[in-house]
Short mmCIF file of all heavy atoms in Angstrom, two decimals:
data_model
loop_
_atom_site.label_atom_id
_atom_site.label_comp_id
_atom_site.label_asym_id
_atom_site.label_seq_id
_atom_site.Cartn_x
_atom_site.Cartn_y
_atom_site.Cartn_z
N ALA A 761 21.09 25.19 42.13
CA ALA A 761 20.54 24.83 43.44
C ALA A 761 19.39 23.85 43.30
O ALA A 761 19.26 22.89 44.08
CB ALA A 761 20.09 26.10 44.17
N THR A 762 18.54 24.08 42.31
CA THR A 762 17.39 23.21 42.08
C THR A 762 17.84 21.83 41.63
O THR A 762 17.31 20.80 42.09
CB THR A 762 16.45 23.84 41.03
OG1 THR A 762 15.99 25.11 41.51
CG2 THR A 762 15.25 22.95 40.76
N ARG A 763 18.84 21.79 40.75
CA ARG A 763 19.36 20.50 40.31
C ARG A 763 19.94 19.71 41.48
O ARG A 763 19.72 18.49 41.59
CB ARG A 763 20.44 20.71 39.24
CG ARG A 763 21.10 19.40 38.80
CD ARG A 763 22.07 19.61 37.66
NE ARG A 763 22.66 18.35 37.24
CZ ARG A 763 23.34 18.18 36.10
NH1 ARG A 763 23.51 19.20 35.28
NH2 ARG A 763 23.84 17.00 35.79
N LYS A 764 20.67 20.39 42.35
CA LYS A 764 21.27 19.71 43.50
C LYS A 764 20.19 19.04 44.35
O LYS A 764 20.33 17.88 44.76
CB LYS A 764 22.05 20.72 44.35
CG LYS A 764 22.75 20.11 45.55
CD LYS A 764 23.49 21.17 46.35
CE LYS A 764 24.61 21.81 45.55
NZ LYS A 764 25.39 22.77 46.36
N ALA A 765 19.08 19.75 44.59
CA ALA A 765 18.00 19.17 45.39
C ALA A 765 17.33 18.01 44.67
O ALA A 765 16.99 16.99 45.28
CB ALA A 765 16.99 20.26 45.73
N LEU A 766 17.14 18.15 43.36
CA LEU A 766 16.53 17.07 42.59
C LEU A 766 17.41 15.83 42.59
O LEU A 766 16.91 14.70 42.65
CB LEU A 766 16.27 17.53 41.16
CG LEU A 766 15.09 18.47 40.93
CD1 LEU A 766 15.12 19.04 39.52
CD2 LEU A 766 13.76 17.76 41.19
N GLU A 767 18.72 16.02 42.53
CA GLU A 767 19.64 14.87 42.55
C GLU A 767 19.58 14.14 43.89
O GLU A 767 19.57 12.89 43.93
CB GLU A 767 21.06 15.35 42.25
CG GLU A 767 21.26 15.74 40.79
CD GLU A 767 22.63 16.32 40.52
OE1 GLU A 767 23.27 16.83 41.48
OE2 GLU A 767 23.07 16.29 39.36
N VAL A 768 19.53 14.90 44.99
CA VAL A 768 19.40 14.28 46.31
C VAL A 768 18.08 13.51 46.40
O VAL A 768 18.03 12.38 46.90
CB VAL A 768 19.51 15.34 47.42
CG1 VAL A 768 19.15 14.75 48.78
CG2 VAL A 768 20.91 15.95 47.44
N LEU A 769 17.02 14.13 45.92
CA LEU A 769 15.70 13.50 45.94
C LEU A 769 15.69 12.21 45.12
O LEU A 769 15.19 11.18 45.56
CB LEU A 769 14.67 14.49 45.39
CG LEU A 769 13.19 14.20 45.58
CD1 LEU A 769 12.80 14.30 47.05
CD2 LEU A 769 12.36 15.18 44.75
N SER A 770 16.27 12.29 43.92
CA SER A 770 16.30 11.12 43.03
C SER A 770 17.12 9.99 43.63
O SER A 770 16.73 8.81 43.58
CB SER A 770 16.86 11.52 41.67
OG SER A 770 16.87 10.41 40.78
N ASP A 771 18.27 10.33 44.21
CA ASP A 771 19.13 9.30 44.80
C ASP A 771 18.46 8.61 45.98
O ASP A 771 18.52 7.38 46.12
CB ASP A 771 20.46 9.91 45.25
CG ASP A 771 21.35 10.30 44.07
OD1 ASP A 771 21.06 9.86 42.94
OD2 ASP A 771 22.30 11.06 44.28
N LYS A 772 17.81 9.41 46.82
CA LYS A 772 17.22 8.83 48.04
C LYS A 772 16.04 7.93 47.72
O LYS A 772 15.85 6.88 48.35
CB LYS A 772 16.80 9.93 49.00
CG LYS A 772 16.15 9.35 50.26
CD LYS A 772 15.93 10.35 51.37
CE LYS A 772 15.36 9.64 52.60
NZ LYS A 772 15.12 10.57 53.72
N TYR A 773 15.23 8.34 46.72
CA TYR A 773 13.99 7.60 46.45
C TYR A 773 14.05 6.82 45.14
O TYR A 773 13.01 6.36 44.65
CB TYR A 773 12.80 8.56 46.46
CG TYR A 773 12.59 9.17 47.83
CD1 TYR A 773 13.03 10.46 48.11
CD2 TYR A 773 11.99 8.43 48.84
CE1 TYR A 773 12.87 11.01 49.37
CE2 TYR A 773 11.82 8.97 50.11
CZ TYR A 773 12.27 10.25 50.36
OH TYR A 773 12.11 10.80 51.62
N SER A 774 15.24 6.67 44.58
CA SER A 774 15.45 5.86 43.36
C SER A 774 14.48 6.24 42.25
O SER A 774 13.81 5.39 41.64
CB SER A 774 15.29 4.36 43.70
OG SER A 774 16.21 3.97 44.71
N LEU A 775 14.41 7.54 41.97
CA LEU A 775 13.49 8.04 40.96
C LEU A 775 14.01 7.85 39.54
O LEU A 775 13.24 7.91 38.58
CB LEU A 775 13.21 9.53 41.19
CG LEU A 775 12.61 9.91 42.55
CD1 LEU A 775 12.43 11.42 42.65
CD2 LEU A 775 11.29 9.20 42.79
N GLY A 776 15.33 7.67 39.40
CA GLY A 776 15.90 7.49 38.08
C GLY A 776 15.95 8.75 37.24
O GLY A 776 15.86 8.69 36.01
N LEU A 777 16.10 9.91 37.90
CA LEU A 777 16.18 11.17 37.15
C LEU A 777 17.59 11.36 36.60
O LEU A 777 18.59 11.08 37.27
CB LEU A 777 15.85 12.36 38.06
CG LEU A 777 14.46 12.39 38.70
CD1 LEU A 777 14.30 13.67 39.53
CD2 LEU A 777 13.36 12.29 37.64
N SER A 778 17.67 11.83 35.37
CA SER A 778 18.93 12.25 34.77
C SER A 778 18.75 13.67 34.23
O SER A 778 17.61 14.13 34.05
CB SER A 778 19.37 11.30 33.66
OG SER A 778 18.44 11.34 32.58
N PHE A 779 19.87 14.33 33.96
CA PHE A 779 19.80 15.75 33.62
C PHE A 779 20.68 16.07 32.43
O PHE A 779 21.81 15.58 32.31
CB PHE A 779 20.23 16.60 34.82
CG PHE A 779 19.41 16.34 36.05
CD1 PHE A 779 19.81 15.37 36.97
CD2 PHE A 779 18.23 17.02 36.29
CE1 PHE A 779 19.05 15.12 38.10
CE2 PHE A 779 17.46 16.77 37.41
CZ PHE A 779 17.87 15.81 38.31
N THR A 780 20.13 16.90 31.55
CA THR A 780 20.88 17.47 30.43
C THR A 780 20.77 18.98 30.54
O THR A 780 19.66 19.51 30.71
CB THR A 780 20.30 17.03 29.08
OG1 THR A 780 20.27 15.61 28.99
CG2 THR A 780 21.11 17.61 27.92
N GLN A 781 21.88 19.68 30.50
CA GLN A 781 21.88 21.14 30.60
C GLN A 781 22.31 21.75 29.28
O GLN A 781 23.32 21.36 28.71
CB GLN A 781 22.79 21.61 31.73
CG GLN A 781 22.74 23.12 31.96
CD GLN A 781 23.30 23.52 33.31
OE1 GLN A 781 22.89 22.98 34.34
NE2 GLN A 781 24.22 24.46 33.32
N ARG A 782 21.53 22.74 28.81
CA ARG A 782 21.83 23.41 27.55
C ARG A 782 21.78 24.92 27.74
O ARG A 782 20.98 25.45 28.52
CB ARG A 782 20.81 23.01 26.48
CG ARG A 782 20.75 21.51 26.20
CD ARG A 782 22.04 20.99 25.59
NE ARG A 782 22.40 21.69 24.39
CZ ARG A 782 21.91 21.41 23.17
NH1 ARG A 782 21.04 20.42 23.03
NH2 ARG A 782 22.29 22.08 22.11
N ALA A 783 22.60 25.62 26.98
CA ALA A 783 22.67 27.08 27.08
C ALA A 783 21.58 27.74 26.23
O ALA A 783 21.31 27.33 25.09
CB ALA A 783 24.04 27.58 26.62
N ILE A 784 20.94 28.75 26.82
CA ILE A 784 20.01 29.61 26.09
C ILE A 784 20.30 31.05 26.53
O ILE A 784 21.18 31.30 27.35
CB ILE A 784 18.53 29.27 26.38
CG1 ILE A 784 18.22 29.41 27.89
CG2 ILE A 784 18.18 27.88 25.88
CD1 ILE A 784 16.73 29.39 28.20
N GLY A 785 19.55 32.00 26.01
CA GLY A 785 19.69 33.39 26.43
C GLY A 785 20.99 34.01 25.95
O GLY A 785 21.51 33.69 24.87
N HIS A 786 21.54 34.89 26.77
CA HIS A 786 22.75 35.60 26.38
C HIS A 786 23.93 34.65 26.14
O HIS A 786 24.79 34.91 25.29
CB HIS A 786 23.11 36.64 27.44
CG HIS A 786 22.25 37.86 27.41
ND1 HIS A 786 22.18 38.69 26.32
CD2 HIS A 786 21.40 38.39 28.34
CE1 HIS A 786 21.35 39.70 26.57
NE2 HIS A 786 20.85 39.53 27.78
N ALA A 787 23.97 33.56 26.87
CA ALA A 787 25.08 32.61 26.71
C ALA A 787 25.08 32.00 25.31
O ALA A 787 26.12 31.93 24.65
CB ALA A 787 24.99 31.51 27.77
N SER A 788 23.92 31.54 24.84
CA SER A 788 23.87 30.94 23.50
C SER A 788 23.93 32.02 22.42
O SER A 788 24.42 31.76 21.31
CB SER A 788 22.62 30.08 23.34
OG SER A 788 21.44 30.86 23.44
N LEU A 789 23.45 33.21 22.72
CA LEU A 789 23.56 34.30 21.75
C LEU A 789 25.02 34.59 21.44
O LEU A 789 25.41 34.76 20.28
CB LEU A 789 22.86 35.56 22.28
CG LEU A 789 22.85 36.78 21.35
CD1 LEU A 789 22.01 36.51 20.11
CD2 LEU A 789 22.31 38.01 22.09
N ALA A 790 25.84 34.63 22.48
CA ALA A 790 27.27 34.88 22.29
C ALA A 790 27.96 33.70 21.60
O ALA A 790 28.89 33.90 20.81
CB ALA A 790 27.93 35.14 23.65
N ALA A 791 27.48 32.48 21.88
CA ALA A 791 28.16 31.30 21.35
C ALA A 791 27.75 30.95 19.93
O ALA A 791 28.60 30.62 19.09
CB ALA A 791 27.88 30.10 22.26
N VAL A 792 26.43 31.02 19.65
CA VAL A 792 25.95 30.56 18.34
C VAL A 792 25.02 31.55 17.65
O VAL A 792 24.45 31.23 16.60
CB VAL A 792 25.24 29.18 18.47
CG1 VAL A 792 26.21 28.12 18.95
CG2 VAL A 792 24.04 29.27 19.42
N GLY A 793 24.86 32.74 18.22
CA GLY A 793 24.12 33.79 17.52
C GLY A 793 22.63 33.79 17.70
O GLY A 793 21.91 34.51 16.99
N THR A 794 22.11 33.01 18.65
CA THR A 794 20.68 33.02 18.92
C THR A 794 20.43 32.72 20.40
O THR A 794 21.18 31.96 21.01
CB THR A 794 19.92 32.00 18.05
OG1 THR A 794 18.53 31.99 18.43
CG2 THR A 794 20.48 30.60 18.21
N THR A 795 19.38 33.30 20.95
CA THR A 795 19.05 33.05 22.35
C THR A 795 18.31 31.73 22.54
O THR A 795 18.11 31.29 23.66
CB THR A 795 18.17 34.19 22.89
OG1 THR A 795 17.00 34.31 22.07
CG2 THR A 795 18.92 35.51 22.89
#
Side-chain angles (χ1 to χ4, degrees):
T762 300
R763 176 175 182 166
K764 182 181 297 184
L766 284 169
E767 287 175 338
V768 170
L769 193 68
S770 181
D771 289 346
K772 179 169 183 180
Y773 295 101
S774 302
L775 301 178
L777 300 182
S778 65
F779 303 91
T780 303
Q781 184 163 308
R782 301 295 304 277
I784 60 167
H786 284 299
S788 63
L789 182 66
V792 297
T794 176
T795 57

